[in-house]
Amino acid sequence: MHALGTHLLVELRNCNSKLLNDLKKVEEILVAAAKEAHATVIESRFHKFSPFGISGVVVIAESHLTIHTWPEYGYAAVDIFTCGEVLKPETAANYLIDKFQSKSPSIVEVKRGMLSRENRLPHKPLKNATPEDDRSKELQMVS
Amino acid sequence: MHALGTHLLVELRNCNSKLLNDLKKVEEILVAAAKEAHATVIESRFHKFSPFGISGVVVIAESHLTIHTWPEYGYAAVDIFTCGEVLKPETAANYLIDKFQSKSPSIVEVKRGMLSRENRLPHKPLKNATPEDDRSKELQMVS
């Protein structure tokens, strides 16, 4: 079975709460995490809410990273969604665990877009795929 | 156990491929799905890639919706992440299944930010919580 996307659901518990409520820092860390995984950052959008909490997304050519923080609980929910074989989403996850100083993190990996053999495109022999065949390498943003 | 967020992982298989490659339509449908679930839309960001595929995010006060489409496979990966008890993310999921004409969709619900009793904030007795206590109702975007 081949999957089109790899999706990490990252639970960051017992983090540095002060960091989780710092809009500039949270954005810096998430963008840096994307770059650590060798993602191509297209744009990032971050918002702070009152009284607590930050929501943000980093749009990458290979999909996205999102974060929602609950500083009052020392918790952040992170998603790292990538396509292609080149990126290493777990590198981004470990970077975030380290930077937010999460003392009890967990990561669940979900394969998205599982294709059965008959659904594969005949002109893309996945068995012999090289990194150059990856969607992420083929993609060019057009709008 | 109480969860801070509800996260639906929606696999839209066997969709209308033409729709999945139409930037304007995909954005319209995703924003409409957010509104169907009574979410407060803050902004939406959508990008089209060459030769195929669209990535998009709808930032809502209550978290986010994202989509990545593979028109060549008739497939889209959707995530609907909400907090609070007021929103009905499954309404958004069903709307998307309908609009993208997915013939074999699936939905997995993941509870995010599960809190053990000792981690709950003492000034927020969840047992007696009313919708007004929800984070989503408390939140006001400040930046």
Side-chain angles (χ1 to χ4, degrees), chain B residues 59-128:
Chain B
V59 178
I60 59 177
E62 305 85 359
S63 295
H64 73 258
L65 289 82
T66 59
I67 188 167
H68 303 287
T69 78
W70 278 260
E72 67 273 39
Y73 291 105
Y75 168 77
V78 170
D79 286 86
I80 304 171
F81 194 132
T82 63
C83 62
E85 306 298 321
V86 179
L87 260 62
K88 298 289 175 215
E90 63 276 14
T91 306
N94 287 329
Y95 181 86
L96 293 169
I97 289 166
D98 182 45
K99 290 294 171 186
F100 287 118
Q101 302 161 34
S102 172
K103 289 185 191 73
S104 45
S106 66
I107 304 174
V108 172
E109 181 179 299
V110 180
K111 293 292 185 187
R112 303 293 296 269
M114 296 292 282
L115 298 178
S116 56
R117 191 173 296 271
E118 59 268 30
N119 282 340
R120 292 187 192 172
L121 291 185
H123 63 278
K124 286 188 183 175
L126 295 167
K127 207 175 70 178
N128 302 318

Side-chain angles (χ1 to χ4, degrees), chain A residues 1-5 111-122 124-127, chain B residues 11 13-14 72-75 104:
Chain A
M1 295 283 273
H2 174 74
L4 295 172
K111 293 293 185 187
R112 303 292 297 269
M114 296 292 282
L115 297 179
S116 56
R117 190 173 297 270
E118 58 269 31
N119 282 340
R120 293 186 192 172
L121 292 186
K124 285 188 183 175
L126 295 166
K127 207 175 72 178
Chain B
E11 299 281 283
R13 297 185 206 85
N14 297 311
E72 67 273 39
Y73 291 105
Y75 168 77
S104 45

Side-chain angles (χ1 to χ4, degrees), chain A residues 76-140:
Chain A
V78 170
D79 286 85
I80 304 171
F81 194 133
T82 62
C83 62
E85 306 299 321
V86 178
L87 260 62
K88 298 288 174 216
E90 63 275 14
T91 306
N94 288 329
Y95 181 86
L96 293 168
I97 289 166
D98 182 45
K99 290 293 171 185
F100 287 118
Q101 302 162 35
S102 173
K103 289 186 191 73
S104 45
S106 66
I107 304 174
V108 172
E109 181 179 299
V110 181
K111 293 293 185 187
R112 303 292 297 269
M114 296 292 282
L115 297 179
S116 56
R117 190 173 297 270
E118 58 269 31
N119 282 340
R120 293 186 192 172
L121 292 186
H123 63 278
K124 285 188 183 175
L126 295 166
K127 207 175 72 178
N128 303 317
T130 65
E132 286 66 35
D133 293 322
D134 290 341
R135 175 185 167 87
S136 57
K137 296 293 260 186
E138 291 170 2
L139 292 177
Q140 288 188 319

Side-chain angles (χ1 to χ4, degrees), chain B residues 22-63:
Chain B
D22 184 327
L23 183 68
K24 193 162 166 278
K25 282 275 183 197
V26 170
E27 180 164 7
E28 271 175 17
I29 291 171
L30 220 72
V31 170
K35 290 179 180 170
E36 284 285 319
H38 300 290
T40 304
V41 175
I42 295 176
E43 63 176 339
S44 61
R45 313 291 297 177
F46 281 73
H47 300 282
K48 189 170 185 178
F49 294 90
S50 172
F52 305 118
I54 288 161
S55 283
V57 57
V58 181
V59 178
I60 59 177
E62 305 85 359
S63 295

Side-chain angles (χ1 to χ4, degrees), chain A residues 7-60:
Chain A
H7 184 176
L8 301 187
L9 287 75
V10 187
E11 299 281 282
L12 299 178
R13 297 185 207 86
N14 298 309
C15 296
N16 179 326
S17 286
K18 202 175 160 189
L19 266 179
L20 294 185
N21 209 30
D22 184 327
L23 183 68
K24 192 162 167 278
K25 281 275 183 196
V26 171
E27 181 164 4
E28 271 175 18
I29 290 171
L30 220 72
V31 170
K35 290 178 180 170
E36 284 285 319
H38 300 291
T40 305
V41 175
I42 295 175
E43 63 175 338
S44 61
R45 312 292 297 177
F46 280 72
H47 299 283
K48 190 171 185 178
F49 294 90
S50 172
F52 306 118
I54 287 161
S55 284
V57 58
V58 181
V59 178
I60 59 178

